[in-house]
């Protein structure tokens, strides 16, 4: 072990008043040959490991680890995560006091090792009664910019963003569903690196920054769902966007059948986008090449392969990047560009989106109202006689889930704390009486909310994700 590493570890221990086992950390470094350096509130183990040659591993090789006990360190954590494969770098977020901040990032040498870590270590009991969460970590290079004047074109937005921030690579703008000459009031700005995006967000986030006299809303864009290449090679469904609302499924099917009659199995249209199902993958790929950029009913369409989402696994997807399945029970185009825009001027509406995540649950029924005429016959029913897709909120889903399993209703216990800026923050603990004596006695998310409704919805969503599908 070199002298520099010894100085780094000794320097940490002086500040941290013995909260860590210095001898154990030194023994880990000596055993593995990895370096350990602390900087900017995080401690890096490896990166690269001994003997590594070439560039770092590609995107998709890193996992996020949450709910780590604050008094647990690399000497305990590294051996656990080595079970999934060779660690390229382990980054533990640190407090000045010497405790860790409850989360870390582990980069493996391959995507397969990262996926294995998620499978075997998510919800792993790392200490008695302490369960960690593990999910994929992606460097986000894209910002969501809201409250943009709808008459602005892509070129104008791109030029303006390049003036006020550095590292801008591209701007993604989508036309309004009802007026193709206008944008939807928001855009996505792609930066050359996560650091460039983070610096831009820091500059724009205070809420006082204006573009064209408008105070804009800025947040991280939801990352696209990663789908492995083998799965994508089997996809035979196309995602078609930028359609006119008036365009019918019959018109879409007829247009896509023009290049090869009878190739299209069916079409499912939702507002201004659609899924076109083909009998054969080869025809789907050929149609994508032919139809992308074509004009249908006056609108230039965009065509890509749809990204599959497994129906069962959607219930167990992690809270980062959670996307709910569409009405086809099969496919979603898993990114925020789909048009699920953030609510402008205030935090997203949590019943639909919890911190950038869509609520879990079965396929949704179209939400709309119908006139209630005098004399309409009404029949009393129980909510439990309905199907699960009649419920929109996670709170209702959880109540329904318990009833279907012949369990007593969930019990909610409210807790609060105060943020550094004086805000009251809320979190619910949920107890399912029927399983309270099992392996997990309660469920509590690792995020706090500013409103009661959001806290309850988040807790219910978290509980459903851990209970599994209906």
């Amino acid at each position: 072990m070199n002298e520099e590493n010894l100085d780094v570890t000794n320097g940490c221990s002086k500040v941290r008043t013995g909260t860590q086992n210095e001898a154990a950390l030194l023994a880990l470094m000596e055993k593995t040959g990895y370096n350990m350096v602390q900087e900017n509130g995080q401690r890096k183990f490896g990166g690269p490991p001994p003997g590594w040659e070439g560039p770092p591993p590609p995107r998709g090789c890193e996992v996020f680890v949450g709910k780590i006990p604050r008094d647990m360190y690399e000497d305990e954590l590294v051996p656990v995560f080595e079970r999934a494969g060779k660690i390229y770098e382990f980054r533990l977020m640190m407090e000045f006091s010497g405790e860790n901040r409850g989360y870390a990032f582990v980069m493996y040498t391959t995507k397969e090792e990262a996926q294995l870590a998620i499978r075997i270590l998510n919800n792993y009991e790392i200490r008695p009664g302490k369960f960690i969460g593990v999910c994929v970590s992606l460097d986000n290079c894209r910002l969501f910019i809201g409250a943009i004047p709808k008459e602005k074109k892509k070129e104008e937005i791109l030029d303006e963003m390049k003036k006020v921030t550095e590292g801008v690579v591209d701007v993604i703008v989508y036309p309004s569903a009802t007026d193709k000459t206008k944008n939807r009031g928001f855009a996505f700005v792609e930066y050359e690196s996560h650091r460039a995006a983070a610096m831009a967000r820091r500059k724009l986030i205070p809420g006082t920054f204006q573009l064209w006299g408008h105070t804009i809303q800025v947040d991280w864009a939801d990352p696209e769902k990663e789908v492995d290449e083998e799965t994508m090679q089997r996809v035979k469904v196309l995602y078609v966007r930028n359609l006119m609302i008036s365009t019918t499924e019959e018109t879409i099917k007829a247009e896509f059948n023009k290049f090869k009659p009878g190739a299209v199995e069916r079409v499912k249209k939702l507002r201004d986008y659609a899924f076109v199902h083909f009998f054969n993958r080869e025809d789907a790929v050929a149609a994508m090449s032919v139809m992308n950029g074509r004009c249908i009913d006056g609108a230039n369409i965009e065509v890509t392969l749809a990204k599959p989402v497994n129906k069962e696994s959607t219930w167990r997807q992690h809270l980062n990047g959670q996307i709910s399945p569409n009405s086809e029970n099969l496919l979603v185009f898993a990114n925020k560009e789909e048009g699920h825009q953030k609510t402008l001027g205030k935090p997203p509406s949590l019943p639909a989106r919890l911190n950038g995540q869509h609520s879990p649950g079965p396929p949704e029924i179209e939400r709309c109202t119908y006139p209630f005429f005098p004399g309409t016959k009404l029949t009393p029913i129980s909510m439990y006689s309905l199907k699960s897709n009649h419920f929109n909120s996670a709170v209702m889903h959880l109540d329904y889930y318990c009833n279907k399993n012949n369990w007593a209703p969930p019990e909610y216990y409210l807790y609060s704390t105060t943020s550094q800026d004086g805000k009251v923050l809320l979190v619910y603990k949920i107890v399912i009486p029927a399983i309270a004596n099992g392996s997990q006695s309660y469920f509590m998310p690792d995020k706090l909310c500013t409103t009661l409704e959001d806290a309850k919805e988040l807790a219910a969503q978290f509980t459903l994700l851990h209970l599994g599908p209906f």
Side-chain angles (χ1 to χ4, degrees), residues 294-316:
R294 284 284 184 90
C295 183
I296 297 181
D297 290 345
N300 292 321
I301 62 172
E302 296 177 27
V303 185
T304 60
L305 284 172
K307 295 188 176 182
V309 175
N310 182 274
K311 177 183 175 183
E312 293 296 320
S313 67
T314 51
W315 279 94
R316 298 187 177 276

Side-chain angles (χ1 to χ4, degrees), residues 133-181:
V134 182
C135 62
V136 68
S137 168
L138 295 174
D139 285 339
N140 202 343
C141 300
R142 184 176 295 177
L143 294 182
F144 168 89
I145 310 294
I148 291 175
K150 293 188 176 182
E151 68 275 7
K152 297 298 179 182
K153 305 298 183 185
K154 174 178 178 174
E155 294 74 18
E156 297 176 273
I157 300 171
L158 179 60
D159 289 342
E160 195 68 15
M161 293 308 300
K162 284 184 174 180
K163 290 178 185 176
V164 298
T165 60
E166 297 181 1
V168 176
V169 174
D170 192 18
V171 169
I172 302 167
V173 182
Y174 294 111
S176 167
T178 54
D179 185 350
K180 298 301 181 183
T181 65

